[in-house]
Amino acid sequence: MAFINTKCVAVFVALAIPSVGTVAKEAKMTALQIQQMQTKDVEVSKSIAFSSVMSVLQDSGYRIGSADKETGLITGIASTNTKTTWLPFVGFGASKKTPVVSAFIEEIGPQYTKIRLSFVMTKLSANGLGGGADEKPILNPQVYQEAFEKIDQAIFVRQSMAQPAAGSTGK
């Protein structure tokens, strides 16, 4: 009997150690740190910034759910990964992880705009007892850095197309 208890304790400790390590790796971010990571100021008009964000999201595989240039809001949803799950006493079900994005493009001045992105991983599940949703913000700075780099490139292209060619007389 003592052998079983020792074995159970050993299994429990073995399972608990990796989860403690995972929690320690995820540092808590303050609201200000999250806002700074999610926000970028650009020196372009709101119109160019809005169009650039739209094209980057579409190029990245997001299906635009809503977009309003006047308010500066864009929402999008990416492709879903579906996994079949099985739970005791419930049976088979489906679990879907779906990346969702919202963007807010705010005009600060005629040629100065603030872009804020928010990426969230939504997990939808359905089983014999109904379904549910769980959202987890994506707080990986690299995700935001890469998105803003792509937006910077799109802005550069749009600005280049808007400028008259060198040597053109405008006639």
Side-chain angles (χ1 to χ4, degrees):
M1 186 78 161
F3 175 75
I4 293 173
N5 288 339
T6 306
K7 196 173 191 179
C8 289
V9 169
V11 169
F12 175 76
V13 169
L15 292 174
I17 289 174
S19 64
V20 170
T22 304
V23 172
K25 288 180 187 176
E26 271 190 37
K28 291 282 186 183
M29 296 178 76
T30 66
L32 182 59
Q33 289 172 320
I34 293 170
Q35 181 180 356
Q36 288 174 337
M37 174 184 64
Q38 294 177 334
T39 306
K40 177 159 177 91
D41 296 335
V42 292
E43 292 185 32
V44 296
S45 68
K46 179 179 177 179
S47 180
I48 289 177
F50 189 90
S51 299
S52 298
V53 171
M54 279 282 283
S55 67
V56 166
L57 293 177
Q58 289 175 321
D59 293 346
S60 298
Y62 283 87
R63 187 177 64 245
I64 303 303
S66 64
D68 185 345
K69 191 181 282 190
E70 189 168 322
T71 62
L73 294 173
I74 302 171
T75 62
I77 187 166
S79 299
T80 301
N81 286 335
T82 304
K83 290 169 59 177
T84 301
T85 59
W86 185 84
L87 298 172
F89 308 110
V90 176
F92 286 98
S95 175
K96 299 179 181 183
K97 285 189 177 182
T98 306
V100 177
V101 64
S102 62
F104 178 54
I105 296 93
E106 178 182 17
E107 183 177 45
I108 304 299
Q111 290 294 313
Y112 190 72
T113 306
K114 183 179 294 279
I115 301 169
R116 183 160 184 189
L117 303 174
S118 177
F119 292 99
V120 175
M121 187 62 74
T122 301
K123 183 178 179 182
L124 301 172
S125 60
N127 55 41
L129 297 177
D134 184 25
E135 292 186 346
K136 182 177 180 187
I138 297 173
L139 299 177
N140 181 344
Q142 186 174 354
V143 169
Y144 293 92
Q145 182 180 355
E146 289 174 6
F148 285 126
E149 285 173 5
K150 290 177 183 178
I151 291 169
D152 284 342
Q153 291 169 358
I155 287 171
F156 177 79
V157 168
R158 279 185 168 66
Q159 283 182 313
S160 299
M161 291 182 346
Q163 294 176 357
S168 113
T169 58
K171 293 182 185 178

